[in-house]
Amino acid sequence: MSLIQLTIKGISYSQTQSGAYALVLSEVGGTRTLPIIIGAFEAQSIAIALEKEIRPPRPLTHDLFKTFSDRFHIQIKQVIIHKLVDGVFFSSLVCEREGEEEVIDTRTSDAIALAVRFQAPIYTYENILDKAGIYLKMEEELEIEEDLSEEGEIEIELEEIAESAEGFSHMSLEELHAQLEEAVTNENYELAAKIRDEISKRS
């Protein structure tokens, strides 16, 4: 069965599970999308890997895995979402070291977080897209694309933000940069993303 490549379309709150997020994968060259429910930590990890300006002061678990793999010359060649059982997606990491290929079972959320860091392609099978894929209407596609900044960076709306965007309006750029640095130091990446957006608006 042929593989179909997917790309990350966006991340948003799950409408069905409290405290969870929907990772939306889009069919390359097609109109189908694959929504996958993931946890808050994994959603944050994926978003941070996609961001260009925010770097955590200490490595997250997926960053540690990437550093470990690089040190021992292990490459993730691709991620395959190969099974769907009772609403749960099963995935594999196709890894390579010194010409030897290994396939490792993994949670799909972890697989995507690592795929972003290794710049590895993400694939699934036609039957999985048939079972769980959604054909996007034009207006729905536009709504998802609004979650992507001009550079294609994904922004996540999170419930617990220390300050809203309106709360930054009275701050100078110098104060915003100081707040951004403090937020990253405190590993409050949701707040840091909001501050960065405010800085970008003024640039």
Side-chain angles (χ1 to χ4, degrees):
M1 191 179 299
S2 62
L3 291 170
I4 298 171
Q5 188 170 358
L6 303 170
T7 186
I8 298 174
K9 186 76 173 177
I11 304 174
S12 63
Y13 281 122
S14 169
Q15 301 300 313
T16 58
Q17 294 187 28
S18 176
Y21 293 82
L23 169 66
V24 182
L25 302 177
S26 177
E27 176 186 19
V28 173
T31 59
R32 287 176 292 182
T33 63
L34 194 65
I36 300 173
I37 302 301
I38 63 175
F41 172 78
E42 291 78 12
Q44 176 178 270
S45 182
I46 293 169
I48 287 174
L50 290 164
E51 291 285 354
K52 306 301 181 185
E53 298 178 16
I54 297 177
R55 289 292 177 267
R58 302 294 298 156
L60 301 177
T61 303
H62 298 112
D63 298 320
L64 175 61
F65 186 96
K66 175 66 163 63
T67 301
F68 179 89
S69 299
D70 289 344
R71 185 66 57 88
F72 291 96
H73 310 293
I74 300 168
Q75 271 295 316
I76 294 178
K77 308 300 291 184
Q78 60 186 13
V79 165
I80 301 176
I81 303 170
H82 61 82
K83 188 166 64 173
L84 174 61
V85 178
D86 297 329
V88 178
F89 292 90
F90 292 76
S91 296
S92 297
L93 298 174
V94 180
C95 307
E96 184 179 78
R97 181 174 183 267
E98 297 179 351
E100 295 287 330
E101 189 172 279
E102 295 285 345
V103 178
I104 301 173
D105 182 47
T106 178
R107 296 189 309 168
T108 298
S109 55
D110 290 328
I112 303 301
L114 292 172
V116 175
R117 287 164 170 81
F118 282 87
Q119 298 183 335
I122 305 164
Y123 296 98
T124 193
Y125 292 106
E126 182 72 34
N127 65 327
I128 293 178
L129 270 178
D130 283 343
K131 286 169 65 176
I134 297 172
Y135 285 93
L136 276 186
K137 296 177 183 177
M138 184 60 69
E139 57 269 22
E140 291 173 338
E141 185 169 356
L142 290 174
E143 284 179 10
I144 291 177
E145 287 179 350
E146 286 177 0
D147 288 338
L148 302 176
S149 68
E150 292 182 358
E151 291 89 9
E153 298 169 349
I154 288 185
E155 302 169 357
I156 297 181
E157 292 184 3
L158 297 172
E159 289 178 347
E160 296 178 357
I161 301 290
E163 294 186 54
S164 65
E166 290 78 10
F168 304 133
S169 59
H170 67 282
M171 293 184 182
S172 66
L173 277 175
E174 182 177 333
E175 289 173 325
L176 285 172
H177 281 290
Q179 288 286 328
L180 176 60
E181 184 176 346
E182 182 180 348
V184 173
T185 300
N186 294 331
E187 300 187 10
N188 190 343
Y189 306 119
E190 299 88 359
L191 176 59
K194 289 291 184 180
I195 298 172
R196 185 219 60 208
D197 292 342
E198 179 67 21
I199 292 172
S200 297
K201 287 178 186 176
R202 302 189 192 184
S203 300

